[in-house]
Amino acid sequence: MAGTPCPEFDWRIDLDALVFFHRPSGCRCFVHRLAFRSLTENPTPSVEDCLAWFSSHHAAFDAAAAAKAARGPAAGQAFNLNSRDIRRALKP
């Protein structure tokens, strides 16, 4: 929903992005639909496609958020994850 806080994850229609809460850092993380285009190799992923991919690869999103949080944003701040951040976390 647009502008409403969500406890774990949701789709922000006003930003066209997934937002999820990364508990260890206390930060909200945003992943734009454009990142999902690259990750899913689908040029027009629906919101449902994006949420399903997030659910299937949740550990990679958490790992990417942890790596980015360690490099900069203070606890409680929001930050963006791009497809490169997530791809790095997918590698063994």
Side-chain angles (χ1 to χ4, degrees):
M1 298 286 205
T4 58
C6 58
E8 296 300 325
F9 70 94
D10 201 358
W11 192 264
R12 289 278 305 263
I13 57 174
D14 57 333
L15 301 174
D16 200 25
L18 168 83
V19 59
F20 71 97
F21 185 69
H22 182 247
R23 286 190 188 282
S25 67
C27 296
R28 290 189 322 155
C29 305
F30 293 83
V31 183
H32 194 273
R33 188 189 308 255
L34 293 175
F36 283 102
R37 283 177 35 183
S38 174
L39 294 167
T40 64
E41 298 178 358
N42 177 349
T44 56
S46 67
V47 171
E48 292 78 18
D49 294 334
C50 298
L51 293 175
W53 209 88
F54 171 75
S55 294
S56 296
H57 299 86
H58 191 260
F61 284 81
D62 276 344
K68 191 160 242 185
R71 293 192 309 263
Q77 291 185 339
F79 58 86
N80 180 63
L81 294 175
N82 60 41
S83 61
R84 286 182 305 256
D85 296 323
I86 298 161
R87 281 185 200 278
R88 273 188 231 118
L90 285 168
K91 291 184 180 179

